[in-house]
Amino acid sequence: MGYQSAKSAFADWNVDTEAALDRLATVPISMHCWQGDDVVGFETRSGASGGGIQATGNHPGRARTPDELRADLEFAYAMIPGQHRLNLHAMYLDTDASPDRDEIAFSHFAPWVDWAQAHGIGLDFNPTFFAHAKADDNLTLSHPDKGIRDFWIEHGRRCRDIAAQMGAAQGSACINNIWVPDGYKDTPIDRMAARARLEASLDAMLTKPQDKAHVRDAVESKLFGIGVEACTIGSHEFYMGYAIRKGTLLCLDMGHFHPTENIADKLSAVALSLDEILLHVSRPMRWDSDHVILLSDDILQMAQELVSADLLGRTHIGLDFFDATISRTAAWVIGTRNMQKALLRALLMPMDMLKSAETALDYTTRLMVTEEFKDMPFGAVWDEFAERHGTPSGRALIRELDSYQASVSGRG
Ligand code: RNT
Ligand code: ZN
């Protein structure tokens, strides 16, 4: 079906496809740099990701240098309709110097800032509290040793300053997301002491006043990780309370909850107590496996909640997955486009009709309409969106993804 027929099919339900296309074009997705190199980064000192996160696979073409990563990103952005952001981790610094984590500065990221500005890409940032000798115990900000805590507090402070300078340079707030791997493999005896240390360290990291127009901090919880099966210090309850009391953003990573929990359901619940939310859209399979996101029910529900609860204006959508068994650039493109497709579908729902049915306790209409809508021509509207933004779809997209992958597969 062509776009014009799709447009009138939606108009029959009082859904304006043009308004949906316009709205979708204003939603930036923060694409995560770490899908491009299996969470390795560009420090001269470290290697494996650690901290209970793990990229598996050895597909050819992994970016080994900042230049290679930027080339891959440029290709990926060219395949994704709209203007988006880049989520950078501190371990992706681009410099000839080898500063330790407690020595990094804005200048070590200058090439990224220049590149982002040249391409109109907003940057977000993350301190890196893993893949480092001082994180080998899976304890960082909550470590019993004050010297280790201070090292990581200094890292966190520096990252905030770097993020603030990025935000000032780009004219939009840089979201600085804090995730630490801290936890215990076996049942601890004093969870309270560890949580009190984490809280005190976070407070110390976040004391310096910063301009919200330049940087906003987020805290990311987790249920468990490899090696920290018994207790994660920064659990959901810990960070939800922290974010509400201290006024930070709360980051909800879709892979960081019990597999049967519905993360979409949490949005409206936490949004009543928080100004802003950060999402790490991911796909857990049995555990926090970070598979490439699909146009699956979980993602569709997430997008539907963002639209129906009118949360798009105060939710920052970041992605967090990494798969090294497939083309890494294709993974970015497929995952990011799926997030956009989910948002488009949500924007094309007859929300007013559905909400009034629900308010009138008319659950039959709610069910009939949502089921009928599954057969609506969303694909034709998506293709129109892709075309208007100069990006290919279907077989043309697959040809582009294949040929770029072929061009990088000779990398050692
Ligand atoms: C780890 C968290 C965290 C990381 C990135 C690399 O479980 O999800 O967000 O994936 O910081
Ligand atoms: Zn995450």
Side-chain angles (χ1 to χ4, degrees):
M1 183 188 275
Y3 175 64
Q4 289 310 326
S5 319
K7 185 178 173 178
S8 51
F10 281 100
D12 262 359
W13 292 84
N14 277 327
V15 171
D16 180 352
T17 53
E18 288 297 317
L21 292 173
D22 289 347
R23 184 73 180 98
L24 185 62
T26 67
V27 183
I29 311 291
S30 192
M31 220 164 75
H32 51 314
C33 71
W34 53 92
Q35 161 60 48
D37 79 329
D38 315 339
V39 210
V40 173
F42 303 124
E43 288 172 315
T44 36
R45 56 184 68 244
S46 72
S49 51
I53 53 179
Q54 200 179 1
T56 48
N58 195 21
H59 203 75
R62 188 180 75 79
R64 299 154 303 175
T65 64
D67 284 335
E68 286 182 351
L69 188 57
R70 283 189 285 266
D72 293 353
L73 283 162
E74 280 174 36
F75 166 72
Y77 286 121
M79 297 296 111
I80 298 165
Q83 192 62 47
H84 299 285
R85 300 177 67 88
L86 176 67
N87 196 7
L88 209 53
H89 235 284
M91 71 194 321
Y92 287 79
L93 73 188
D94 183 359
T95 171
D96 290 335
S98 5
D100 203 348
R101 299 270 172 89
D102 62 343
E103 297 165 338
I104 55 167
F106 182 66
S107 59
H108 301 132
F109 296 88
W112 282 110
V113 175
D114 295 345
W115 173 83
Q117 240 157 31
H119 291 85
I121 293 165
L123 293 174
D124 296 311
F125 201 62
N126 306 254
T128 310
F129 292 99
F130 51 88
H132 190 283
K134 287 195 166 68
D136 278 351
D137 296 326
N138 276 330
L139 292 169
T140 63
L141 292 177
S142 75
H143 203 290
D145 181 330
K146 180 172 184 305
I148 296 199
R149 291 202 302 280
D150 286 346
F151 173 86
W152 289 113
I153 290 168
E154 182 59 22
H155 175 62
R157 285 182 176 150
R158 283 170 178 261
C159 285
R160 258 181 114 220
D161 283 342
I162 293 165
Q165 288 172 83
M166 286 175 170
Q170 70 200 12
S172 79
C174 175
I175 306 300
N176 178 53
N177 179 52
I178 299 160
W179 172 74
V180 298
D182 295 37
Y184 293 114
K185 182 178 178 70
D186 220 335
T187 313
I189 201 70
D190 199 350
R191 296 166 196 259
M192 180 59 110
R195 293 200 162 114
R197 288 192 295 265
L198 177 54
E199 167 138 338
S201 295
L202 290 166
D203 286 351
M205 258 171 59
L206 302 176
T207 40
K208 182 172 164 183
Q210 297 275 8
D211 188 341
K212 278 186 77 171
H214 297 158
V215 61
R216 288 175 215 169
D217 305 293
V219 289
E220 179 179 4
S221 69
K222 192 162 176 170
L223 178 64
F224 87 103
I226 302 287
V228 292
E229 290 85 358
C231 171
T232 294
I233 314 303
S235 60
H236 177 57
E237 291 75 8
F238 174 90
Y239 278 126
M240 192 168 88
Y242 190 87
I244 293 168
R245 283 182 292 122
K246 312 281 173 159
T248 69
L249 278 69
L250 181 68
C251 173
L252 297 174
D253 183 311
M254 292 176 74
H256 289 191
F257 294 86
H258 191 280
T260 62
E261 279 185 87
N262 176 356
I263 319 308
D265 176 71
K266 298 178 188 299
L267 281 176
S268 52
V270 300
L272 287 171
S273 298
L274 294 165
D275 291 340
E276 291 179 68
I277 298 166
L278 172 63
L279 291 181
H280 272 189
V281 184
S282 191
R283 178 164 58 107
M285 197 179 281
R286 300 182 188 273
W287 73 293
D288 180 33
S289 58
D290 291 291
H291 282 68
V292 178
I293 62 168
L294 308 178
L295 192 55
S296 61
D297 284 349
D298 287 353
I299 310 295
L300 289 166
Q301 281 179 28
M302 188 64 99
Q304 202 160 298
E305 282 300 315
L306 289 171
V307 170
S308 120
D310 195 18
L311 290 173
L312 276 175
R314 54 190 183 108
T315 305
H316 304 266
I317 305 176
L319 307 180
D320 189 5
F321 52 77
F322 30 96
D323 186 342
T325 67
I326 58 174
S327 163
R328 295 171 185 78
T329 44
W332 264 326
V333 173
I334 294 165
T336 310
R337 287 172 63 118
N338 277 339
M339 185 67 233
Q340 292 184 289
K341 285 184 187 180
L343 289 168
L344 178 63
R345 287 194 185 209
L347 291 165
L348 290 170
M349 292 299 285
M351 281 300 175
D352 292 343
M353 177 190 282
L354 287 165
K355 284 183 180 180
S356 6
E358 187 164 281
T359 311
L361 311 188
D362 181 0
Y363 304 140
T364 310
T365 296
R366 187 182 63 185
L367 184 63
M368 289 192 300
V369 173
T370 49
E371 287 309 292
E372 277 305 295
F373 253 69
K374 289 181 178 167
D375 292 326
M376 290 295 281
F378 295 108
V381 185
W382 169 259
D383 287 349
E384 177 73 11
F385 184 70
E387 199 183 314
R388 284 188 194 179
H389 291 269
T391 57
S393 287
R395 301 180 72 171
L397 174 65
I398 290 171
R399 272 196 301 277
E400 295 277 355
L401 295 177
D402 279 346
S403 88
Y404 190 79
Q405 175 57 35
S407 77
V408 300
S409 61
R411 289 174 183 169

